[in-house]
């Protein structure tokens, strides 16, 4: 007998990240070589949290709030990137239009 | 916040609550009964710190042991199998 039957959970209570007990499909066990941009995102998060700009709990919180579509389509470090950007905007470190302008510039340069 | 202080071996029940916010207690374990495996000490309250607040004073964090057969209706493993989850004191009540 399940302690918490799945149909007994309030509809809005389960975040997309809270997937324990749901069918998950096969686990992809392939090794993934970490790319340079992923290392940079990792380093950026370490810097930001050590300097106290925001915490890893705030990182996780924003990731949980990406919405189901974004959460499932983004890769691990893409989620981090989206959360870091959101948290930096929340803290007033960067502005949304400033970020958009810079992203357009980098895209125009053809950089990754 | 006042929370019960538990010791290893104490039976506890996880609060069956569904508050909004950043929650560290997975849905599937809410309402379940288990046993305190160890007291992990006082830890920063991550459910508070997730919103930019300090999360202090810290809350007692406990590792709680649950029996897999009591959690999953179709669990096919050995009867003695257990799962351990670290849970904050504000989610636990004496069973």
């Amino acid at each position: 007998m399940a302690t918490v039957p799945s149909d007994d959970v309030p509809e809005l209570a389960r975040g997309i990240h809270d997937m324990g007990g749901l069918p998950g499909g096969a686990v992809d066990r392939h090794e993934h070589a970490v790319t340079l941009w992923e290392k940079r995102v990792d380093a950026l998060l370490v810097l930001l949290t050590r300097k106290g700009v925001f915490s890893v709990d705030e990182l996780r919180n924003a990731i949980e709030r990406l919405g189901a579509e974004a959460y499932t389509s983004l890769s691990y470090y893409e989620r981090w990137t989206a959360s870091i950007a959101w948290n930096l905007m929340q803290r007033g470190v960067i502005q949304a239009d400033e970020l958009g302008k810079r992203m357009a510039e980098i895209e125009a340069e053809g950089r990754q | 916040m006042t929370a019960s202080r538990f010791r290893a071996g104490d039976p506890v029940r996880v609060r069956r609550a569904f508050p909004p916010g950043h929650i560290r207690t997975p849905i599937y374990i809410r309402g379940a009964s288990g046993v305190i495996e160890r007291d992990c000490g006082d830890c920063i309250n991550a459910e508070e710190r997730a919103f930019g607040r300090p999360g202090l004073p810290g809350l007692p964090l406990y590792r709680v042991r649950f029996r897999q057969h009591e959690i999953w209706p179709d669990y096919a493993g050995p009867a003695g199998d257990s799962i351990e989850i670290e849970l904050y004191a504000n989610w636990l009540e004496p069973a």
Side-chain angles (χ1 to χ4, degrees):
Chain A
M1 176 85 186
T3 311
V4 182
S6 59
D7 60 359
D8 194 21
V9 172
E11 193 180 344
L12 296 176
R14 188 192 288 272
I16 184 67
H17 62 286
D18 191 352
M19 52 184 71
L22 297 177
V27 175
D28 181 358
R29 295 178 182 276
H30 289 95
E31 290 289 336
H32 162 63
V34 181
T35 64
L36 180 58
W37 78 266
E38 290 171 326
K39 289 179 182 174
R40 283 175 171 156
V41 170
D42 203 297
L44 183 62
L45 182 72
V46 171
L47 277 171
L48 290 168
T49 53
R50 289 205 182 154
K51 285 178 179 293
V53 180
F54 60 87
S55 68
V56 289
D57 304 296
E58 289 169 278
L59 179 89
R60 285 181 61 166
N61 192 8
I63 288 172
E64 291 168 11
R65 269 147 247 291
L66 282 170
E69 192 179 328
Y71 187 92
T72 51
S73 63
L74 297 180
S75 71
Y76 183 80
Y77 280 108
E78 284 171 344
R79 290 175 197 160
W80 278 34
T81 306
S83 177
I84 288 169
W86 189 87
N87 273 292
L88 289 177
M89 286 188 277
Q90 278 289 105
R91 297 279 176 172
V93 178
I94 59 172
Q95 306 298 321
D97 56 353
E98 180 189 350
L99 175 64
K101 187 163 170 278
R102 188 73 188 118
M103 286 170 71
E105 284 172 5
I106 290 171
E107 197 173 353
E109 290 170 12
R111 288 168 55 189
Q112 293 297 306
Chain B
M1 153 162 278
T2 55
S4 306
R5 196 88 210 189
F6 299 109
R7 304 177 68 171
D10 285 352
V12 290
R13 183 168 23 250
V14 184
R15 279 176 51 227
R16 193 170 150 62
F18 303 94
H22 173 75
I23 305 298
R24 291 295 179 96
T25 298
I27 287 271
Y28 73 84
I29 213 66
R30 298 184 206 175
S33 295
V35 173
I36 299 289
E37 190 272 338
R38 77 178 70 169
D39 181 339
C40 301
D42 288 5
C43 294
I44 285 174
N45 183 346
E47 296 181 346
E48 281 289 308
R49 198 166 70 150
F51 292 93
R53 298 187 283 267
L56 296 171
L59 287 176
L61 184 74
Y62 296 98
R63 185 173 296 179
V64 187
R65 180 175 292 163
F66 303 89
R67 299 177 72 83
Q68 293 277 26
H69 276 280
E70 292 177 16
I71 306 302
W72 310 112
D74 51 357
Y75 188 74
D81 282 1
S82 62
I83 180 170
E84 294 181 359
I85 307 180
E86 282 166 8
L87 300 165
Y88 284 103
N90 60 325
W91 277 93
L92 300 174
E93 50 198 27

